[in-house]
């Protein structure tokens, strides 16, 4: 088991490229199941459920902090648990960290983040 946490949002293009690597991707190889909350920079007000079984991945919008009843955000950043066989936690940490917004991107703020290319699937609840 490996738990990934990071307060900054993912760059959707870099995260998509990680999955485009196919079953040899560090988030595909040896991962049996992964589930948790994440935030994509291009969707700054949305908490997304990361739901993965082997190489099948689904992102589902769970909550937006623009909802009328939202008193507080459901989650900030990334909190994803990976389960698998012979996982390499250091490698997973490194490749996922490489998908996080860098300092300049982060400083652009949500207005700049929404301009980032977002090839990841969208599924609303």
């Amino acid at each position: 088991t490996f738990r990934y946490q990071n307060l900054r949002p993912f760059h959707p293009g870099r995260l998509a490229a990680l999955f485009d690597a196919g079953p040899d991707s560090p988030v595909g190889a040896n991962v049996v199941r992964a589930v948790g909350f994440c935030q994509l920079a291009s969707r700054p007000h949305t908490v997304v459920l990361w739901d993965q079984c082997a190489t099948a991945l689904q992102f589902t919008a769970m909550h937006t902090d623009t909802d009328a009843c939202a008193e507080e955000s459901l989650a900030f950043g990334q909190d994803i648990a990976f389960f698998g066989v012979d996982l390499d936690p250091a490698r997973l940490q490194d490749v996922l960290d490489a998908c996080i917004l860098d300092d300049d991107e982060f400083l652009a703020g949500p207005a700049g983040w929404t301009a980032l290319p977002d090839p990841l699937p969208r599924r609303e609840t």
Side-chain angles (χ1 to χ4, degrees), residues 32-85:
V32 175
R33 182 87 168 102
V35 67
F37 296 108
C38 66
Q39 288 187 304
L40 305 173
S42 54
R43 308 171 199 182
H45 301 288
T46 304
V47 175
V48 176
L49 174 67
W50 174 310
D51 188 9
Q52 178 182 351
C53 187
T55 57
L57 174 67
Q58 182 173 312
F59 289 115
T60 305
M62 298 299 296
H63 171 81
T64 60
D65 48 357
T66 57
D67 289 343
C69 63
E71 293 181 17
E72 59 185 55
S73 184
L74 181 63
F76 292 101
Q78 324 309 325
D79 192 358
I80 308 161
F82 292 85
F83 305 89
V85 179

Side-chain angles (χ1 to χ4, degrees), residues 41-45 101 105-115:
S42 54
R43 308 171 199 182
H45 301 288
L101 293 182
E105 293 164 338
F106 186 72
L107 290 173
W113 305 344
T114 56

Side-chain angles (χ1 to χ4, degrees), residues 4 6 8-18 26 78 90-103 105:
Y4 180 73
N6 195 308
R8 289 190 182 187
F10 280 123
H11 183 294
R14 288 197 292 268
L15 188 62
L18 183 61
Q78 324 309 325
R91 184 169 182 228
L92 275 170
Q93 180 80 42
D94 289 345
V95 298
L96 291 168
D97 281 349
C99 295
I100 295 294
L101 293 182
D102 64 28
D103 290 344
E105 293 164 338

